[in-house]
Amino acid sequence: MKDFQLLRYIKTFGYLIILITVVGCILVYQFARQNQSYTATVILKYVNANASEGLTPAGTEIDVSEIYSASVVTQAIQELGLSTSVESIRSGVTVEEIIPEDELIRKEALLEEGEEYEYFPTQYQVSFTGDSDTNLDYATDVLNAIIDAYLIQYSTKYIDDVSFPQNAANVSVEKYDYIECVDLLQESCNQIVGYLSQKDENYPGFRSTQTGYALSDLQDEYEYIRDTELQKLYAMILNNQIAQDRDVLLTNYANKLTLDRINLTNTSSTLEKTRALIQQFGTKTLDGSNYSFSGTDVTSSGLILADVELDNNRITNTITTYDKLINQYLTLHSEQAFLERSILNYQKMYDTFSQEATGTYIPQGTAAYVSQEITEIAADMSQLYDVVCDTMDEYNGVVSARNINVLTSVAAYSNLSLPIYTGLAMLIFLFMGCCAAIALGRLGDFMNYFLYIDRKTNLPNRGRCDLQVEKYSAHLLPDWFACLYIQFRFDGVNQAGVTRKSGDNALKKLGKILGDALSSEGFVGYNNSGQFIGLFEHCNEDKVQTMVDRITAEIEYANSLEPAESITINVGHAISNMESIYDVRKLLQAAIKNSKQ
């Protein structure tokens, strides 16, 4: 059997090794890619005054689950223009508290001493993990959008306690009369101006980098619309008594007057009852309420009567009841003043539009002009409102940054390193391919040995010789194809003391000599009955003669060492183009014939 030859196996099955390596790498790469995920992380720290107590600026408990709340994630999705679901994003967000090392040591020390331990984390690591269909940029963008949305919502919910005014986008002459449109637009301007004024006081000098506007700039824009453009329209409508449907307008004012008068009557009645209740606490208590109503901070606890009864029920907490009565009185008083002003205004409007225009020239097309102006002002206010929204979003983000610090920029990484996995797979499958090549090569050696190797000569047997002849019989032989025929003859067969074993040994030695001398040049095999054949391509007369001379020399040397097992051979050869024979069987017959000459 052939010796173990690693390089021969690898060379023979090189394509198999490459195939196994390539297929293995592709499979591992696809598996790793399908299980790949991308994570982006950032660290937040709550820095408001009572954050160390686990409280927001509004005094409520810090709830980090709001970071991945549906409203925050929805805003982030809208900001990025994604088509994914809210839950698919929320499921990828995790928030983990970060506890300093010294705090852990303090915790262990207190617990060992049996003391109570309480700690509220202020630092949290926020992470978002995207699946294999995403990438690093996607994970980074989503986490940035979530953090931005959360900061805005945090500021709006816990810092900005004033509701943002609604835009008067639905104001149009198709729904309201001219004067009603102007009133609604003025009211919208007043609300937004008040809101911007308050925010400017909280953060003076703020200017948006996105819109380029300061809060005072936006306030001036709305004040200009209110005090100039709307006032101009207001005066034109009143002076010319312009209305789309005067009867409907008067009916509306009449209904509003009736409703406000009813409300004023009820409010005045309730106010008097409240005043009477307060008077039960004494004259000094009422004086204290007057001070309170005027805005002066007066402590009235010393003016309260302890034994005042209300509806046959004894007041057990007089201070709380008094405070409630005072607050109710002030609220009712404010409502009364508002209703009185409203009634005066509605009455003025009713009287104005009830009279016919006297001596006032109304230019043709004035109503159309007013309608167009209202539409244009409403459109301008809508555009300005969008600017205000963008500015306030940035404002809320800046304000929230005073309460929440983003300690690190967003860092993104792949959870699986595809180059490393692919490289390891290449090494592993390359090794597996080599092992498979060795196994197959060695298996082939075993099969070849048991099926096609003669046990005595250790050369290919007759079956292998037949297969080799069949191989060359399929086509014409090329030029310089040589057939070598060797007939073995054992000279010691008639000598005394020579056994069958000696003949077998001689045959074995001849097989070794022929294998060593001829196997590297082509095929040599044992065809039974002492016959050996050799088939060689690209072999001229000189090369054949050289091989025969070498065989002869080797045999003579072996015979000198073991005369009792001496070997004698008859050798014949034939070359295709020299014999003009290109059929392997006929060429072999020619070689046999030449051996007998």
Side-chain angles (χ1 to χ4, degrees), residues 576-592:
S576 58
N577 53 319
M578 294 185 67
E579 300 288 342
S580 298
I581 299 174
Y582 294 93
D583 181 85
V584 67
R585 286 186 174 87
K586 293 181 180 180
L587 190 63
L588 190 56
Q589 289 174 359
I592 295 173

Side-chain angles (χ1 to χ4, degrees), residues 35 53 60 64 71 83 94 239 247 278 280 305 309 318 324 340 347 366 391 420 430 461 467 545:
N35 291 273
E53 301 174 4
T60 59
V64 294
S71 57
S83 58
T94 58
N239 291 337
D247 293 336
I278 293 175
Q280 294 184 49
L305 301 180
E309 293 186 4
T318 54
K324 290 181 179 179
E340 288 175 348
Q347 187 64 53
T366 302
T391 303
I420 293 178
L430 181 62
N461 58 17
L467 292 175
Q545 192 60 48

Side-chain angles (χ1 to χ4, degrees), residues 17 21 99 105 129 158 188 212 310 358 361 386 443 462 519 546 549 571:
I17 296 173
T21 303
I99 302 179
I105 297 174
T129 301
Y158 300 114
S188 177
L310 178 62
T358 57
Y361 173 71
D386 293 336
L443 179 62
R462 182 170 183 171
S519 293
T546 300
D549 292 342
V571 180

Side-chain angles (χ1 to χ4, degrees), residues 279-458:
Q279 287 177 348
Q280 294 184 49
F281 286 91
T283 305
K284 292 184 179 181
T285 303
L286 182 58
D287 293 339
S289 70
N290 289 332
Y291 282 110
S292 178
F293 174 71
S294 65
T296 306
D297 184 12
V298 178
T299 301
S300 55
S301 57
L303 306 177
I304 299 174
L305 301 180
D307 297 326
V308 176
E309 293 186 4
L310 178 62
D311 296 335
N312 298 321
N313 293 322
R314 183 172 296 278
I315 301 175
T316 57
N317 189 347
T318 54
I319 295 178
T320 301
T321 302
Y322 173 75
D323 291 340
K324 290 181 179 179
L325 288 173
I326 289 298
N327 289 335
Q328 181 180 3
Y329 177 81
L330 295 177
T331 301
L332 292 171
H333 193 280
S334 177
E335 290 180 2
Q336 183 185 46
F338 175 78
L339 289 171
E340 288 175 348
R341 290 194 301 270
S342 179
I343 290 173
L344 289 175
N345 182 60
Y346 288 148
Q347 187 64 53
K348 176 183 176 182
M349 294 297 172
Y350 186 86
D351 294 340
T352 299
F353 285 96
S354 296
Q355 300 173 0
E356 294 293 338
T358 57
T360 302
Y361 173 71
I362 304 176
Q364 186 177 4
T366 302
Y369 171 78
V370 170
S371 176
Q372 181 179 356
E373 284 294 302
I374 291 174
T375 301
E376 291 179 356
I377 292 174
D380 293 341
M381 290 180 61
S382 293
Q383 292 180 358
L384 189 58
Y385 187 82
D386 293 336
V387 176
V388 171
C389 289
D390 293 339
T391 303
M392 293 311 302
D393 284 345
E394 186 174 344
Y395 173 90
N396 290 330
V398 172
V399 172
S400 63
R402 293 182 171 183
N403 295 272
I404 302 178
N405 287 346
V406 181
L407 299 184
T408 63
S409 58
V410 174
Y413 57 89
S414 304
N415 293 312
L416 295 177
S417 178
L418 294 183
I420 293 178
Y421 273 84
T422 305
L424 291 175
M426 184 178 66
L427 295 177
I428 292 173
F429 282 98
L430 181 62
F431 176 76
M432 293 175 61
C434 292
C435 291
I438 294 171
L440 291 175
R442 201 57 181 162
L443 179 62
D445 290 345
F446 279 107
M447 293 180 63
N448 184 68
Y449 179 77
F450 286 107
L451 296 177
Y452 299 110
I453 299 297
D454 180 73
R455 300 295 186 275
K456 293 180 181 180
T457 61
N458 203 31

